[in-house]
Amino acid sequence: MNSTTKVGVRWMSVFTLAWLAIWTVQLTPVQLLLPLQLDTPEDDWITGVVSSGLVLGIGGLAGIIAGPLAGALSDRGRSGRGRRRPWALGGVWTTAVFLVVTGFTSGPWAVGAAWVGVSIGVAVSSAAFTALIADQLPSTQRGAASAAVGSSQAVGIVLGVGLVVLLGLDVRAGYLLLAAIIAVVGTASALMLPDPPSALEVRAGRTASRRWESLRDRDFAWMLSGRLVTNIGNALGTALFLFFLLHGLGQPSTVAQDNLLLLIVVYTVFVVAASVLTGIWSDRTGNRRGLAVIATFVQATSGVAIALVPTFEMTMVAAALMGVGYGAFSTVGLAFAADLLPTERDHARDLGIVNVTAALGQLIGPVLGAGLVALVGGFWLVFVAAAVLSVVGGVLTAMARQPKPQPQSS
């Protein structure tokens, strides 16, 4: 199998399951479990928001380092069993172990340290699975695979938060459930997906390549900057949702948790629809850049809506708009990134850098959001900033040129 040969339904199904597990265990704590662990009394609620932002920021920093490093090492792998699978398995098991540890900790320092381990595991496994898009798919299937990644992100939030809320699990039981999900599904997916050994000619080309030459590529660099800024805008608009319901709209804790699940369901429906439709459309037309830019402007409207009308009803509308915008951008943007990869021998490293933009968004977004909340004593500035950054991300993405489609075999 190579990047000019189409894959079948089985490959896509297993790939989708892998990402569903990854997103479920990464985003359920971000949206629900970590805020519950770190929430503080009503008279000191801003401290809880700041603590949550710092914990997510520290975890994001760890992922930024771990993802590209693991990708670069897997690119140079000489294992007869393949390059990606050992790193996928290692990342999956690391994630499972530290999810358990996080569930048994308390206080911002201990929780933050444990969350670093989870973030490293997620970054390593994500780098390995993402590399398969460039390793094994032709350009006409990368949009579909990216749609699987993007739609799984939204479904994963619903699955994780839904299980915790509907089963009435406490924080510790929630983490244990997530650890079981990633251990079972992640391991099975890593073993079932093909992982041919690295080609000798690819490994041999290392000495002739410039280090980090992808970052010197004009179009790849513009794409990365646009993806980073757009992800920060998305993190600003979503990471503090539970705190917004609790302290921005004044909802009781049980009501806020139920409403958070409802918002996530709405967000998910529109993310999945936008991901699938834009992924297929971008495969047919090849116009990844144009679709990605339009998506950033749709995402921006969600922040404007909440800032102007801060009600729960408008938050529902904003969740739908955010779902459409981010679903389309995350899908088409990832396929666009795969199209722009400068060199075959560094697929995992370079796609690890692409994943870093999401991790860095999770780092900067909550920390910036917490600072903005503390600055004005409310949430309106958070949503205004989310809208502005989304637009800036679209402008930066537009600076990258759309590559010509590659020939492929069936």
Side-chain angles (χ1 to χ4, degrees):
M1 179 183 298
N2 56 57
S3 59
T4 63
T5 304
K6 289 187 175 181
V7 301
V9 174
R10 179 184 178 277
W11 193 100
M12 285 289 186
S13 299
V14 176
F15 183 75
T16 302
L17 283 175
W19 278 103
L20 180 60
I22 290 172
W23 289 125
T24 298
V25 304
Q26 181 184 20
L27 297 179
T28 302
V30 169
Q31 290 292 330
L32 181 63
L33 298 180
L34 286 172
L36 289 176
Q37 276 182 296
L38 299 171
D39 196 20
T40 49
E42 184 66 30
D43 59 354
D44 191 31
W45 64 270
I46 291 180
T47 299
V49 176
V50 173
S51 295
S52 181
L54 290 175
V55 166
L56 293 175
I58 292 170
L61 179 60
I64 287 169
I65 299 171
L69 178 60
L73 292 173
S74 74
D75 282 332
R76 310 307 176 210
R78 299 175 179 272
S79 170
R81 297 180 180 178
R83 293 184 293 167
R84 314 306 182 193
R85 184 173 295 132
W87 292 94
L89 290 172
V92 162
W93 296 335
T94 299
T95 303
V97 168
F98 279 98
L99 281 169
V100 174
V101 174
T102 307
F104 282 87
T105 58
S106 61
W109 289 106
V111 171
W115 187 247
V116 166
V118 175
S119 299
I120 290 173
V122 168
V124 171
S125 57
S126 296
F129 283 115
T130 306
L132 300 181
I133 297 175
D135 285 350
Q136 301 180 20
L137 300 185
S139 60
T140 53
Q141 285 190 307
R142 290 173 180 171
S146 300
V149 177
S151 59
S152 295
Q153 178 178 3
V155 174
I157 301 175
V158 172
L159 177 62
V161 174
L163 287 173
V164 173
V165 172
L166 297 179
L167 295 177
L169 302 179
D170 61 18
V171 170
R172 180 173 297 174
Y175 279 113
L176 293 177
L177 175 63
L178 296 180
I181 289 173
I182 191 63
V184 174
V185 179
T187 299
S189 300
L191 294 176
M192 293 173 66
L193 286 168
D195 183 25
S198 57
L200 291 175
E201 62 270 18
V202 173
R203 291 201 307 262
R206 182 186 183 193
T207 57
S209 66
R210 296 185 299 171
R211 291 186 180 275
W212 306 107
E213 67 176 297
S214 58
L215 298 181
R216 299 183 178 94
D217 182 272
R218 172 193 177 277
D219 299 311
F220 194 75
W222 279 120
M223 177 276 302
L224 283 178
S225 61
R227 191 170 173 83
L228 169 62
V229 175
T230 303
N231 272 287
I232 296 173
N234 177 262
L236 272 177
T238 59
L240 302 179
F241 252 148
L242 181 57
F243 287 117
F244 174 65
L245 295 176
L246 288 169
H247 307 295
L249 300 183
Q251 297 181 350
S253 180
T254 55
V255 174
Q257 291 183 50
D258 291 340
N259 284 339
L260 175 65
L261 178 57
L262 181 58
L263 287 171
I264 290 173
V265 170
V266 171
Y267 177 78
T268 297
V269 169
F270 285 92
V271 165
V272 172
S275 295
V276 173
L277 291 176
T278 56
I280 294 173
W281 184 254
S282 74
D283 279 344
R284 291 180 177 178
T285 65
N287 183 22
R288 320 269 200 209
R289 181 184 64 177
L291 288 171
V293 172
I294 293 171
T296 63
F297 283 84
V298 175
Q299 176 174 290
T301 62
S302 67
V304 174
I306 301 180
L308 292 177
V309 186
T311 64
F312 180 70
E313 292 75 17
M314 183 55 73
T315 304
M316 293 276 287
V317 174
L321 291 171
M322 178 68 78
V324 171
Y326 190 69
F329 179 81
S330 62
T331 294
V332 179
L334 180 56
F336 188 35
D339 290 346
L340 288 172
L341 292 176
T343 175
E344 181 180 354
R345 59 181 168 267
D346 292 317
H347 278 172
R349 185 201 66 188
D350 291 343
L351 283 173
I353 296 173
V354 172
N355 284 338
V356 157
T357 60
L360 190 55
Q362 290 298 324
L363 185 159
I364 297 175
V367 174
L368 177 60
L372 295 175
V373 169
L375 179 64
V376 299
F379 292 86
W380 66 268
L381 188 56
V382 169
F383 296 114
V384 170
V388 172
L389 289 172
S390 298
V391 171
V392 173
V395 173
L396 293 172
T397 301
M399 300 296 292
R401 290 170 292 192
Q402 177 69 51
K404 295 180 180 179
Q406 300 174 353
Q408 72 276 335
S409 59
S410 58

